[in-house]
Amino acid sequence: MLNNTDAIELMQALQAELKTYIAQGHGPFLAAIYDQQGTLIAKAANSVVQEQCSHCHAEMNAIRLAQQKLKTYDLSSYKLSLFVTSEPCLMCVGGIMWSGLQAVYYGVSSDMVEAITGFDEGFKPQWEQALQKRGIAVHGHLATPEGEEVLKWYVAQGHPFYGPRRKKD
């Protein structure tokens, strides 16, 4: 597991890099997987709109790339950590649980993501405890001001909001 200073620096770097991915048409989320020494294993942005697939969240894309690179569906023996610019949604929490990752570090909370962007981050009661129960450490709220600034920039630039259209009461 990385120390707090290294974790914050890695998250700040992801937040800084995120605007480049957004400018290329990606959604406003970036995830990277590192080993215990801080070596990058895989990095991916949200590509839902580009790939026209609701499953293409940054976390899921990064997990897929790491599993392909390491040629295994079970990453547990590699002791890897996932860094994601915003708190994982419900789908990604499930993907993390099944992947064998050992730790999750996130930036902006789901509440703030929803408040800033309008994205529906899903129902996730006690998700952190559920991961911790399975041996997956959770560290949150890293580089939050930088992450919130990027999300506000995303909205100000008029980038698309995506998700299912829901009937309003």
Side-chain angles (χ1 to χ4, degrees), residues 134-149:
R134 290 162 176 84
I136 304 167
V138 179
H139 309 275
H141 309 283
L142 302 173
T144 300
E146 296 91 335
E148 289 176 359
E149 185 272 324

Side-chain angles (χ1 to χ4, degrees), residues 149-160:
E149 185 272 324
V150 174
L151 292 172
K152 289 173 184 174
W153 178 83
Y154 179 86
V155 171
Q157 296 297 309
H159 290 286

